[in-house]
Amino acid sequence: MIVTLAMTTTKAFAAHAATSPLATYSFERRDPGPLDVQIEILFCGVCHSDLHTVRSEWGPTNYPCVPGHEIVGRVVKVGSEVKKFKEGDLAGVGCMVDSCRTCSACQANLEQFCENGTIFTYNSPDKKSGGFTCGGYSKSIVVEEAFVLRISDKLDPAATAPLLCAGITTYSPLRHWKVGKGQKVGVVGLGGLGHMGVKLASAMGADVILFTTSPGKTKDALRLGAKDVVVSKNADEMSKHANSFDFILDTVSANHDLNAYLSLLKRDGTMTLVGAPIQPLPVEAFNLIFQRHTLAGSLIGGIKETQEMLDFCAEHGIVSEIEIIPIQQINEAYERMLKSDVKYRFVIDMRSLKD
Ligand code: NAP
Ligand code: ZN
Ligand code: ZN
């Protein structure tokens, strides 16, 4: 049942169709209830998932769509029952804003796999206000405290925003597959997710090899912590690494040949996909059968693990490499993202959107 809530008009940028550029838009957000935190959005990272969704690449999107799930801002109001946040605190919101809290996944702190349907930050049915959830390309957001993250004031808030998706999406599989010291780990693609994967896996002690289609990114990858860089279009360079990886994290957003990477795993090695290309990717059975390889996938991470990742990053001084843009440049940013021309995450300064 949807109770009639007090609402406030919020300015935003939205996509109105799969083929039209994002443009200014206003919509109604609920005023904070007893359990809610209201955040004035300062920065919002630009994830390739925003682009996939805006263009209905993963299936039909609900328009108008306000994307954005790498949100950092200032708490401006808290409900009467909120305990962890007070006005003036820095706070973050990632890819989810609600879940059932009672299913086995929620009970295991894996809200991203909620059996009753995770409520994602945008383009999900909004059970509280009706319509569909609207994300961080907006001036303010209201989220239940249980889905709001504490943000360290030791880190640059703009460069922290991408941790809320790119950070947790790479941290979670690295932890789940127990990446650590003495392991050889591949990261495929040096974009938003990939560059966080390189930083996090090297902070966990692994020897990281970056695979890229952009030879111009080599120097940056080494600076970010990679031990070596392989240009994946070069078959000779690739074959030098045959049967040698413990783990490979594939962050590529477009079609590519998985078999070229599966054959680089050693016995019992795992390759995990976090990149979500829109077309099915063929896998040769023998690339799994021989050497008992595993091909797996991973979806963001639960709220508890997201906080753990933020605390890990604060402790190790890890943030994203960013290029700050005003919201008015979002359409150009999407075009650059499609050309792999991002170093290494666009972050929107939401103060560029005037009231
Ligand atoms: P991004 O910043 O655009 O980075 C993608 C990188 O993939 C590019 O920088 C490029 O790296 C490489 N690439 C692009 N096109 C390629 C091609 N045709 N062949 C080979 N490599 C190519 O994107 P992102 O924000 O990191 O997101 C990456 C993917 O992860 C997207 O599909 C996104 O939707 C998905 N995602 C998944 C989750 C999850 O929970 N699983 C969460 C967030 C995002 P090089 O220039 O180094 O080759
Ligand atoms: Zn994302
Ligand atoms: Zn649930």
Side-chain angles (χ1 to χ4, degrees):
M1 185 185 68
I2 293 171
V3 185
T4 312
L5 299 168
M7 306 286 253
T8 299
T9 304
T10 306
K11 275 202 95 173
F13 252 56
H16 289 80
T19 49
S20 60
L22 277 76
T24 48
Y25 171 64
S26 290
F27 66 99
E28 301 294 308
R29 279 221 195 267
R30 72 176 189 272
D31 289 345
L35 297 171
D36 285 332
V37 176
Q38 182 172 17
I39 299 164
E40 180 201 348
I41 300 175
L42 299 172
F43 298 104
C44 185
V46 179
C47 180
H48 208 114
S49 304
D50 301 351
L51 190 158
H52 288 307
T53 307
V54 157
R55 302 195 175 172
S56 283
E57 289 178 351
W58 287 335
T61 292
N62 304 291
Y63 297 102
C65 171
V66 178
H69 57 206
E70 294 183 336
I71 300 166
V72 166
R74 202 55 82 183
V75 174
V76 289
K77 208 169 181 184
V78 294
S80 55
E81 290 170 35
V82 168
K83 295 194 175 67
K84 288 187 305 190
F85 295 93
K86 58 177 188 330
E87 207 184 309
D89 286 350
L90 270 181
V93 178
C95 303
M96 306 178 279
V97 289
D98 210 350
S99 70
C100 84
R101 329 282 171 97
T102 55
C103 73
S104 68
C106 288
Q107 293 283 306
N109 296 308
L110 296 168
E111 301 86 356
Q112 73 273 33
F113 304 124
C114 176
E115 291 155 22
N116 296 305
T118 307
I119 308 296
F120 292 101
T121 306
Y122 58 82
N123 195 39
S124 270
D126 187 335
K127 292 188 180 151
K128 293 202 167 86
S129 322
F132 293 92
T133 52
C134 290
Y137 297 9
S138 62
K139 295 296 283 181
S140 122
I141 191 162
V142 177
V143 179
E144 265 197 45
E145 166 179 47
F147 283 77
V148 181
L149 288 308
R150 291 186 312 277
I151 301 291
S152 165
D153 51 18
K154 284 193 230 142
L155 301 177
D156 171 35
T160 300
L163 302 182
L164 274 311
C165 175
I168 184 60
T169 302
T170 48
Y171 181 92
S172 183
L174 292 171
R175 284 292 192 225
H176 183 77
W177 278 278
K178 299 189 170 45
V179 161
K181 223 175 159 41
Q183 288 186 357
K184 183 170 170 184
V185 169
V187 172
V188 188
L190 197 70
L193 266 56
H195 91 289
M196 290 313 307
V198 170
K199 285 190 175 203
L200 291 167
S202 27
M204 290 172 191
D207 292 334
V208 180
I209 311 293
L210 174 81
F211 296 95
T212 184
T213 57
S214 310
K217 293 181 181 174
T218 302
K219 239 166 108 187
D220 285 341
L222 297 172
R223 177 174 57 81
L224 297 174
K227 286 255 150 60
D228 203 357
V229 177
V230 174
V231 176
S232 51
K233 288 170 185 161
N234 183 328
D236 287 344
E237 271 190 59
M238 292 287 279
S239 63
K240 277 188 207 144
H241 292 272
N243 301 315
S244 67
F245 282 89
D246 295 282
F247 185 74
I248 297 178
L249 186 65
D250 184 337
T251 75
V252 174
S253 50
N255 285 3
H256 60 294
D257 179 18
L258 297 184
N259 297 294
Y261 298 98
L262 286 169
S263 61
L264 304 187
L265 292 170
K266 67 184 196 192
R267 174 165 49 81
D268 289 325
T270 297
M271 166 147 140
T272 296
L273 306 182
V274 285
I278 53 181
Q279 310 236 314
L281 302 172
V283 172
E284 281 171 33
F286 284 116
N287 263 332
L288 298 176
I289 294 171
F290 282 107
Q291 304 302 324
R292 202 161 50 188
H293 293 154
T294 301
L295 177 61
S298 187
L299 176 67
I300 49 173
I303 293 294
K304 183 164 180 262
E305 194 175 43
T306 305
Q307 190 63 62
E308 177 191 307
M309 175 276 307
L310 287 165
D311 297 345
F312 177 90
C313 288
E315 191 187 318
H316 291 80
I318 295 174
V319 286
S320 178
E321 309 281 303
I322 59 166
E323 181 174 338
I324 297 186
I325 55 163
I327 185 77
Q328 293 77 11
Q329 281 175 20
I330 188 64
N331 295 302
E332 290 95 307
Y334 280 8
E335 291 313 313
R336 280 183 55 194
M337 189 148 67
L338 284 172
K339 291 187 212 136
S340 302
D341 174 26
V342 186
K343 289 189 174 158
Y344 282 90
R345 196 58 140 186
F346 289 116
V347 171
I348 308 164
D349 184 342
M350 284 312 305
R351 293 164 298 189
S352 58
L353 184 60
K354 301 293 174 217
D355 287 321

